[in-house]
Amino acid sequence: MRCTVFGTGYLGATHAACMAELGHDVVGVDIDPGKVAKLADGVVPFYEPGLEDVLQRNLATGRLRFTTDYSDAAAHADVHFLGVGTPQKKGEYGADLKYVHAVVDTLAPMLERPAMIVGKSTVPVGTAAALGIRAREQSKVDVEVAWNPEFLREGFAVQDTLRPDRLVLGLDHARERSAWVEQTIREIYADLIAAEIPFLLTDLATAELVKVSANAFLATKISFINAVSEVCEATGADVTMLADALGYDARIGRRFLNAGLGFGGGCLPKDIRAFMARSGELGADHAVAFLREVDNINMRRRTKVVDMAARACGGSLLGANVAVLGAAFKPESDDVRDSPALNVAGMIQLHGAVVTVYDPKAVENSRRVFPTLNYATSVSEACDRADVVLVLTEWNEFTALTPADLDPVVRSRSIIDGRNCLNSTTWRAAGWVYAGLGTP
């Protein structure tokens, strides 16, 4: 089937490449000629394991191409996936929909035959219905809007697109052509449905709420264990063992119960804030008031690690030499958007320390956000003459470290495990001062 994908960032580029992998004829569209040129050359402009192979394979078959030309895209297909970003508004909690609106406002007048716009982006509830009206007001042909939210995990995006946990499709059932939309989307995902991936058909509002509700739940689970971690710190209990015990309860599960520095990235923080903002607009702000505390707990963990670093340096960070291992918000990603690791590095520098950061994939992105930090090309370079070492992203390279790896280069044998990913017994037995979050 012929389809287009608008937006070639993390979501759009992944979706375009994976739709081609499923056998469809795909055009990826973006207003940024630099992104388009890179993708057309088979280069993914961000780090995502496995994606470049999928991209290059489908460029070679001719099933996938990229363009900046909206008219080309409008003529190419009747199915247009919307995968642009919905960042947090500056100075507000709400989502900025300017990129979503720009695609619809540009595409709709160019359509020459009935078409559908299928949203993948995370948007406030009510957006899809409003976009349907907006698109039809500007188009001379019939335009249907449906919502098919993504559930991608950075580091596993290809897997999550080609073999997702579920497919959700929201339709405007009052529209006469909703059956056409459903049938078309079923054909696009025929291989996934044949593989018995659950296919859930909903109304537009439910489909929009599924994604933000999922992110709000995950954020709540992470902040819950971090709140318990604070109690563990006050009592001498071990939050890791506590989480293991909780995880055996099938109603709770162990995933997302890792206490530590907290969540970040381009989804969870801005999505729960947008959820709060939209709920307030709908008069239901009391229903999600707890998310404000979820956000507060998460941000408090960052300050906690800065305080731990100061204590490790004798009470003051002024003039201290601090090594930060990790800049991406999670391993297997180069994404530093709202990264707890990079945020902590910046705060420590503001307290007067000399901070050197190393990350296997995210150094260049970090340099653009925090150009005043020092950046290293290896663990040993970052830890050279360090007064304290902070492990803030749980890359395998860091979790595999041993005291013997760092003994020759550090000035003081002190380590803060911001992700509780190291063996505290091993480090203490080697004479290091080890500090974790929520662990004795």
Side-chain angles (χ1 to χ4, degrees):
M1 189 168 288
R2 296 162 70 89
C3 58
T4 64
V5 178
F6 287 86
T8 61
Y10 179 79
L11 165 59
T14 302
H15 192 67
C18 289
M19 288 303 97
E21 184 77 356
L22 290 174
H24 304 300
D25 186 359
V26 183
V27 172
V29 190
D30 203 292
I31 59 172
D32 184 340
K35 273 195 207 174
V36 167
K38 278 189 174 182
L39 289 164
D41 285 339
V43 178
V44 177
F46 51 87
Y47 178 69
E48 178 59 38
L51 181 56
E52 197 152 273
D53 289 341
V54 176
L55 174 71
Q56 292 174 356
R57 183 163 57 247
N58 287 282
L59 286 169
T61 64
R63 286 195 300 264
L64 177 62
R65 61 187 177 88
F66 295 91
T67 184
T68 58
D69 186 349
Y70 269 59
S71 60
D72 178 17
H76 173 76
D78 301 326
V79 182
H80 305 286
F81 286 101
L82 184 59
V84 295
T86 53
Q88 186 175 337
K89 290 180 181 177
K90 289 185 178 178
E92 300 180 38
Y93 269 15
D96 189 343
L97 298 178
K98 64 184 177 185
Y99 303 115
V100 172
H101 292 156
V103 170
V104 172
D105 293 347
T106 307
L107 174 65
M110 295 181 178
L111 297 173
E112 297 290 340
R113 57 189 186 275
M116 67 182 76
I117 297 173
V118 183
K120 299 293 296 180
S121 306
T122 304
V123 295
V125 62
T127 299
L131 285 178
I133 296 170
R134 189 181 187 116
R136 287 186 284 273
E137 286 177 344
Q138 300 182 74
S139 178
K140 51 185 175 289
V141 298
D142 190 26
V143 183
E144 304 298 329
V145 171
W147 223 257
N148 171 219
E150 55 84 15
F151 302 99
L152 305 186
R153 298 167 296 163
E154 294 196 30
F156 301 91
V158 172
Q159 172 188 324
D160 289 345
T161 304
L162 297 177
R163 284 296 180 268
D165 293 329
R166 73 287 205 195
L167 291 165
V168 176
L169 177 63
L171 299 176
D172 183 347
H173 295 292
R175 299 282 301 171
E176 291 182 4
R177 295 177 65 86
S178 64
W180 168 63
V181 176
E182 178 187 350
Q183 182 58 36
T184 303
I185 298 303
R186 284 184 180 274
E187 289 176 17
I188 286 175
Y189 292 130
D191 288 353
L192 279 62
I193 295 170
E196 300 185 343
I197 303 297
F199 185 93
L200 289 81
L201 194 63
T202 75
D203 56 83
L204 291 173
T206 301
E208 292 167 314
L209 282 170
V210 167
K211 176 59 189 291
V212 293
S213 298
N215 279 352
F217 184 85
L218 295 175
T220 300
K221 194 171 183 181
I222 295 167
S223 282
F224 168 80
I225 198 63
N226 279 331
V228 172
S229 177
E230 294 181 10
V231 179
C232 288
E233 289 162 4
T235 60
D238 188 328
V239 73
T240 302
M241 296 182 67
L242 185 151
D244 288 342
L246 289 177
Y248 282 109
D249 189 326
R251 298 167 301 174
I252 298 172
R254 184 61 176 81
R255 296 180 66 189
F256 286 83
L257 280 183
N258 292 320
L261 189 52
F263 58 82
C267 290
L268 262 61
K270 63 99 174 173
D271 285 352
I272 65 169
R273 293 164 191 161
F275 195 10
M276 285 188 279
R278 182 59 176 148
S279 298
E281 293 169 356
L282 296 169
D285 51 316
H286 57 283
V288 295
F290 71 94
L291 288 178
R292 190 173 296 276
E293 184 57 22
V294 167
D295 201 5
N296 288 338
I297 292 168
N298 189 57
M299 298 306 293
R300 202 158 62 224
R301 304 310 284 167
R302 305 179 186 192
T303 305
K304 168 74 175 178
V305 172
V306 175
D307 292 342
M308 291 170 68
R311 286 198 300 273
C313 294
S316 173
L317 287 165
L318 188 63
N321 196 8
V322 178
V324 172
L325 302 183
F329 86 96
K330 62 177 287 187
E332 299 303 327
S333 172
D334 63 353
D335 192 345
V336 297
R337 290 175 295 175
D338 206 354
S339 167
L342 200 54
N343 188 200
V344 166
M347 286 193 287
I348 289 175
Q349 185 190 51
L350 288 174
H351 280 75
V354 176
V355 182
T356 304
V357 178
Y358 168 67
D359 188 284
K361 296 293 181 182
V363 166
E364 290 310 310
N365 286 343
S366 302
R367 202 188 304 272
R368 284 191 284 271
V369 177
F370 272 102
T372 58
L373 294 171
N374 297 320
Y375 293 95
T377 58
S378 68
V379 170
S380 58
E381 182 185 348
C383 296
D384 184 37
R385 292 174 296 164
D387 295 304
V388 63
V389 177
L390 278 63
V391 178
L392 302 185
T393 308
E394 60 273 41
W395 286 96
N396 289 338
E397 181 179 352
F398 303 153
T399 61
L401 285 172
T402 67
D405 295 324
L406 300 186
D407 280 339
V409 293
V410 298
R411 184 158 58 195
S412 177
R413 291 190 291 176
S414 177
I415 193 163
I416 295 173
D417 184 0
R419 294 295 180 181
N420 291 345
C421 59
L422 304 176
N423 187 313
S424 60
T425 302
T426 299
W427 287 85
R428 286 172 175 152
W432 282 66
V433 177
Y434 169 94
L437 289 166
T439 60

